[in-house]
Amino acid sequence: MSLNCGIIGLPNVGKSTLFNALTRAQAAVANYPFCTLDPNVGRVPVPDERIARLSAIYRPKKETPTSIEIVDIAGLVEGASRGEGLGNQFLAHIREVDALIHIVRCFDDPDVIHVSGAVDPVRDIRLIDTELILKDLESVEARIARTQKKARSNDPAAQAEMALLSHLQDALAKGMPARSVSQSLENAPEAQTALKEMMLLTTKPVLYAANVPEASVVNGNAFSARVAEIALLEKTECIVVSGKIEAEIAALPAEEAEVFVREMGLSEPGLCRLVRAAYRRLDLITFFTVGEDEVKAWTIPNGTSAVQAAGEIHSDIQRGFIRAEIFRYDALIQHGSAQAIKEAGLLRLEGKEYRVQDGDCVYFRFNV
């Protein structure tokens, strides 16, 4: 899958530090705005304990986790929608990603300047939201100007588009993101498709990461609690992380990192939780192909059919699809082997239209 998440936020909130820890990359980190100009891109494995347990059963020559692409986008500032701080360029980068990880500064450090002078997570979130909404409003109003003439000539498609655009314009003018309109279109698939094609910035799903100081990494702090309240209202998630700690973890060998994580009172690095949360926000699921050669995890959107999932492996498998032989990961763990699965009658044969489920172990039969 080519779906990706863009890391956004104000300058100096820890975006590049967290990106480096996530990807083991070396993006520039500095105490001044616009240190990142061109977006940094990296692929990040999705932590999944099921890979290790499947490998313990099959003892494959190779194990391959699934991954998602992370894009580190430069910090936005007030006025970005009008081009301030190279805003148009940075907003274009946001338009190209599928979901957003909004890093929010929840630490107070006099040695790291804050572009607004003081730490205030709610203000910072609203500032970013406002810039994205204003840019979307500009796009919608430009589209209205192009569509009005056709709509007045009784063109049905143009009239339907004008109704959607008017709805969007009203919501955006009230400071509401375009995804609030999307939620009201559940029973209007054509309008949903039209909205998606507009590629508005505020239709993208958002996940919050509260970047806290080291001492607050376990329980968070007053700043991160305010971010969590916003996430709850927006029906999304807030993951508490410490950029400083995650950078230290990333620099350690695996065994030492595990010890360090335990010493910090954590069950796992915060970035593991962040990656899984991003995976969920993209509405992705994982299926597995298993055997002695390789245990491999594959990423597909929730709702993908068996024949489409086959195409993720190879176009020939999709083209020559016959059927999918499927058993559940949980059943395999319970019974211990593929043979025991068969004997228990838990191996299923499914056709092209079967919707693959998270945790399915699949063998595709095909002929080309």
Side-chain angles (χ1 to χ4, degrees), residues 3-18:
L3 297 179
N4 57 21
C5 281
I7 295 178
I8 66 168
L10 294 174
N12 294 349
V13 299
K15 298 187 308 302
S16 293
T17 298
L18 288 169

Side-chain angles (χ1 to χ4, degrees), residues 132-207:
L132 299 184
I133 287 170
L134 288 174
K135 194 63 179 179
D136 278 349
L137 183 58
E138 177 186 303
S139 298
V140 166
E141 289 177 342
R143 191 163 182 135
I144 287 174
R146 295 195 302 269
T147 308
Q148 277 180 330
K149 187 174 181 180
K150 283 187 178 180
R152 291 193 189 106
S153 65
N154 295 323
D155 182 312
Q159 289 177 335
E161 183 175 344
M162 274 300 299
L164 174 60
L165 289 169
S166 296
H167 193 179
L168 283 166
Q169 183 183 36
D170 184 57
L172 293 166
K174 293 177 180 176
M176 300 167 60
R179 58 182 165 272
S180 65
V181 173
S182 178
Q183 293 165 2
S184 69
L185 300 176
E186 291 182 3
N187 299 318
E190 291 183 1
Q192 281 186 329
T193 300
L195 179 56
K196 185 176 181 180
E197 290 174 352
M198 292 179 195
M199 297 181 64
L200 297 176
L201 302 173
T202 60
T203 57
K204 300 180 187 298
V206 176
L207 163 71

